[in-house]
Amino acid sequence: MAYAQAKVKQHTIDAASYHHFSERCIHTCLSFGQRHFWTPQQAVKAICTRCGTNGAFPLPVMPTLNDLGELITQSTTWQLSTTTAHEANNAALFAQRFALPEHAKIHIACQRHPDYTRHVDLKSLQGRLQRNPCMRCAAEHKSQYTATLLEEAFIDVGVNLCIELTESALSSREQFIPSQHLLTLHCPEHGILPEKHLPYSLIRYARSYQSNTPCRQCSPDSGNTLNTPRLRYFVESTERIKTHGAQYRLLDSDTDIDSQIAAIKTAGEVPQEKLIMRLELLIPKEFNL
């Protein structure tokens, strides 16, 4: 016993629980009075959860259940569940703390989401809880997008758009947005945009396609807006032979195309989806084969 106490300098060892240097016994932290159930061999390098960062093994060899709950709360994102049935189960389990069943489980709840509970093995409690937040906390951590972040990204590249909170089912501009959540945008000049966008696609607009804007009416020369020169080049370019295996000529005049695009926009629809054009096949695919 004297040898064990000499080796273990950060804790005192309960003499009644000590049997051998390699067998577990009760240790009490000298700084905080926290009790742990270690072998003296483990305690030589161990640091109490409240004293250091590596964490102590929180076996329920503690004066009260509240002590165990306090340790869980201070060292993890969890707490003891406050559900009536769970409290009764935890109290009954704590009463067996000196002779626990091998697979004894305790009910815990997330501190941020108290209605999210788990039933965890006591013997692996501390390590498991320190490594694993609740699923809702994990989801929020991965959801890095907020309306404020997206709007600031647009401002940085000179795009004047904002996110419609109500239409996007958001409660605030600071709410975390799941990656698959569709957002509705508002243009000061053209109103609510008909297309919905994922957060990632909006970040790509701001970071990768700085000459474009999700509002198709704001920039007539941008790559996502249809106009007559772009349409004629696409149809009549000789590059069509390499991609479609044929070559075409646009029969409609520039005036007719401009008028049709303007009418479609006035109706609040998208020219790319509604435009009708007449083509003449100059070089068929069969000829090129």
Side-chain angles (χ1 to χ4, degrees):
M1 174 63 182
Y3 171 74
Q5 191 64 71
K7 297 285 286 185
V8 181
K9 298 179 180 179
Q10 296 113 329
H11 310 89
T12 60
I13 298 176
D14 180 72
S17 68
Y18 178 80
H19 301 288
H20 190 271
F21 193 70
S22 61
E23 294 182 16
R24 292 189 299 177
C25 56
I26 299 175
H27 296 254
T28 303
C29 170
L30 292 173
S31 299
F32 290 88
Q34 183 64 51
R35 305 178 77 195
H36 306 283
F37 202 40
W38 290 322
T39 68
Q41 289 176 330
Q42 293 172 325
V44 169
K45 295 182 180 180
I47 300 177
C48 173
T49 305
R50 299 181 185 179
C51 304
T53 57
N54 73 331
F57 197 65
L59 292 172
V61 186
M62 300 182 182
T64 67
L65 181 60
N66 288 336
D67 290 322
L68 176 59
E70 185 181 347
L71 177 62
I72 294 172
T73 301
Q74 290 188 1
S75 59
T76 73
T77 60
W78 300 86
Q79 61 187 352
L80 290 177
S81 176
T82 56
T83 303
T84 302
H86 292 172
E87 286 183 332
N89 176 83
N90 291 345
L93 185 66
F94 186 76
Q96 307 174 58
R97 62 190 181 279
F98 295 110
L100 280 172
E102 184 174 353
H103 297 293
K105 292 180 179 290
I106 194 166
H107 289 280
I108 46 94
C110 176
Q111 293 180 37
R112 293 187 59 190
H113 309 99
D115 58 327
Y116 188 93
T117 61
R118 290 182 61 186
H119 204 196
V120 185
D121 274 341
L122 266 172
K123 63 182 180 181
S124 58
L125 180 70
Q126 184 72 1
R128 183 167 296 180
L129 295 188
Q130 285 181 322
R131 292 192 303 268
N132 300 310
C134 89
M135 293 180 65
R136 295 182 195 173
C137 288
E140 289 179 359
H141 179 70
K142 292 179 181 178
S143 301
Q144 61 178 330
Y145 304 111
T146 64
T148 297
L149 182 148
L150 296 171
E151 289 169 349
E152 288 176 350
F154 278 132
I155 292 173
D156 289 342
V157 295
V159 176
N160 191 13
L161 293 175
C162 66
I163 294 173
E164 281 285 330
L165 296 183
T166 302
E167 296 290 335
S168 301
L170 298 176
S171 59
S172 72
R173 290 195 137 65
E174 304 305 324
Q175 178 183 338
F176 287 112
I177 304 172
S179 58
Q180 297 303 312
H181 189 82
L182 289 172
L183 300 172
T184 300
L185 300 179
H186 181 270
C187 172
E189 185 176 350
H190 303 107
I192 292 178
L193 307 190
E195 305 88 358
K196 292 182 179 292
H197 299 269
L198 295 173
Y200 176 70
S201 68
L202 296 180
I203 283 292
R204 290 192 64 192
Y205 270 113
R207 295 177 179 173
S208 303
Y209 307 115
Q210 296 185 11
S211 62
N212 292 348
T213 167
C215 180
R216 299 187 179 188
Q217 301 182 60
C218 278
S219 180
D221 297 323
S222 68
N224 66 349
T225 302
L226 186 65
N227 56 43
T228 302
R230 179 170 291 107
L231 178 64
R232 186 171 295 282
Y233 172 79
F234 179 83
V235 171
E236 298 182 347
S237 171
T238 56
E239 294 296 315
R240 298 306 102 213
I241 294 178
K242 297 179 182 179
T243 56
H244 299 304
Q247 187 173 349
Y248 303 90
R249 182 168 70 90
L250 184 61
L251 297 179
D252 299 292
S253 68
D254 288 2
T255 301
D256 290 337
I257 296 172
D258 287 339
S259 298
Q260 190 179 168
I261 291 176
I264 294 172
K265 288 182 176 180
T266 300
E269 297 177 322
V270 181
Q272 287 92 326
E273 299 173 355
K274 298 293 183 178
L275 184 67
I276 298 174
M277 53 187 175
R278 297 177 300 136
L279 305 179
E280 179 185 1
L281 181 61
L282 300 179
I283 303 177
K285 180 176 181 180
E286 291 76 11
F287 179 82
N288 285 283
L289 295 175

